[in-house]
Amino acid sequence: TAGPYKSLLEFKDVERFAAMAPVLWSNYFDKGSARSEIYDDRIELWIEDVPAEVRHPYFEYSVVGYFQRGLELLGAEVKRHPVESFSAGDERVHYQLTTAR
C-alpha cells in the first residue's frame, strides 16, 4: 500500500515491471547487466557480461526468482523456462517467463 512499487501493484503493470530489469540489476550488482524483452505471452530475461569468476547460480536464481515473484504479485501466472544458465555452465543467463494474465 506504500513504497516504490505501490503504483505497479495498484495498476498491475507487468510491462513496466519487466522493463525495469536493467535498473534492478544495477541497483544490486556492479558487474554485468540485465535486460528484458516483453511479448504478449512471455518475458525474455537475460543476465549478461558477468565475469567468469563470479558466474554463480546465486545471481541467476535470485534475479530470476525476484522477477517471477514480482510478476506473480502483479497477477501473472508464470512458468519459468531456462534457455541458458550459469547453473548449466553457460556464459550468460536467458530465461523465458511465460505469462498468463
Side-chain angles (χ1 to χ4, degrees), residues 10-29:
E10 186 176 345
F11 297 107
K12 306 288 187 201
D13 196 342
V14 170
E15 289 80 13
R16 191 167 138 224
F17 176 79
M20 292 173 58
V23 173
L24 292 171
W25 178 267
S26 66
N27 282 341
Y28 295 100
F29 308 110

Side-chain angles (χ1 to χ4, degrees), residues 15-74:
E15 289 80 13
R16 191 167 138 224
F17 176 79
M20 292 173 58
V23 173
L24 292 171
W25 178 267
S26 66
N27 282 341
Y28 295 100
F29 308 110
D30 60 359
K31 304 253 190 250
S33 62
R35 64 183 173 93
S36 60
E37 292 180 9
I38 304 156
Y39 299 92
D40 290 337
D41 62 340
R42 72 188 187 284
I43 295 162
E44 304 272 341
L45 177 64
W46 287 269
I47 300 170
E48 302 173 304
D49 305 318
V50 175
E53 64 273 9
V54 292
R55 287 184 198 137
H56 191 276
Y58 165 80
F59 300 111
E60 172 185 343
Y61 297 145
S62 63
V63 172
V64 174
Y66 180 91
F67 253 78
Q68 180 174 351
R69 186 63 183 136
L71 292 167
E72 290 168 349
L73 288 171
L74 297 174

Side-chain angles (χ1 to χ4, degrees), residues 70-82:
L71 292 167
E72 290 168 349
L73 288 171
L74 297 174
E77 199 174 303
V78 181
K79 291 186 181 174
R80 207 176 40 218
H81 306 282

